[in-house]
Every structure is written in structure tokens, then in C-alpha cells.
Amino acid sequence: MEDNDIITEFEQRNEDALSHTTEKYGKTIHKIAENILGNTHDADEIRNDALMKLWSTIPPQHPRSLFAYIAVIVRNIAYDKCRADKRKKRYGEQVQIALDEFSECIPSDFDVE
């Protein structure tokens, strides 16, 4: 199926557009996400998120190249996921260090008497 036909299906809100897009670009979408994230499970999630974003953005937008449009969406979602994962790692360690330091200030349950 041609890209213009798929775009027309999106504009008409035909759900077959999602299956046709997955059929034509599913492996490529997955590979782009996997190359960025390095994780197959996360790449599957990115593919689903990209299809959802595609469904919600194409009627107002009319891309000239469906592949380029999808590739940009996948790349942006994958990089956002990378940033979120790094943020969790960075702040998770700082919270643990702060809690360890704070535990020294808390009085213990041990009673001297």
C-alpha cells in the first residue's frame, strides 16, 4: 500500500491505517527505537506509542513523507524515554544518599535504661 493511501486512511479515521503502517514500517520503527534504547521490550512500547501519536497527529498534519514523519516521532519518543530513565537513575542515587545521611540523625529505639 502506498504512503498517500495510508495517510488518507488516517485522515478518514480508518483503523486499518494502523495495521497498514505496522505492516509496512513496523520492523523499521522497532529497529530505530531499539538502536536508540538498546532494549527490545522498550522498543515495542515505543512502537505502540509512536502509532498512537501518529493516530492523534495526522488529521491536523499532512506529511509529505510518511516514513520521515514516523521516524521523527519514534526518535523523539525514544530520546524522551532515555532522558526519563537517566533522570530516574540520577535522582534515585541522590535520594538514597540523603536518606543514609539522615538516618544518622534519627534517634534509635534502643533505650539505655
Side-chain angles (χ1 to χ4, degrees):
M1 183 166 239
E2 293 295 319
D3 287 353
N4 289 331
D5 297 334
I6 296 173
I7 292 170
T8 303
E9 285 183 340
F10 273 112
E11 290 172 345
Q12 295 172 351
R13 288 299 188 201
N14 185 352
E15 292 180 7
D16 292 335
L18 294 172
S19 61
H20 291 140
T21 304
T22 304
E23 205 174 280
K24 188 168 184 178
Y25 295 116
K27 291 180 183 178
T28 307
I29 292 170
H30 189 271
K31 191 65 176 172
I32 292 169
E34 190 174 359
N35 285 342
I36 293 171
L37 298 170
N39 186 342
T40 302
H41 178 62
D42 288 342
D44 291 337
E45 288 182 26
I46 297 298
R47 181 182 61 212
N48 293 336
D49 291 345
L51 290 172
M52 188 66 155
K53 179 92 173 182
L54 199 62
W55 180 260
S56 65
T57 60
I58 278 202
Q61 301 291 325
H62 186 82
R64 286 186 282 173
S65 171
L66 183 62
F67 173 72
Y69 192 70
I70 293 170
V72 168
I73 288 173
V74 170
R75 183 196 64 188
N76 290 341
I77 294 172
Y79 280 136
D80 288 345
K81 173 107 172 99
C82 284
R83 285 187 210 106
D85 289 347
K86 286 182 183 178
R87 194 175 309 121
K88 284 180 190 175
K89 289 179 185 177
R90 180 174 48 237
Y91 291 121
E93 292 173 6
Q94 291 177 353
V95 169
Q96 186 60 39
I97 291 170
L99 289 176
D100 289 343
E101 290 175 0
F102 189 63
S103 68
E104 295 173 8
C105 300
I106 299 174
S108 70
D109 294 337
F110 181 73
D111 189 13
V112 177
E113 296 176 6

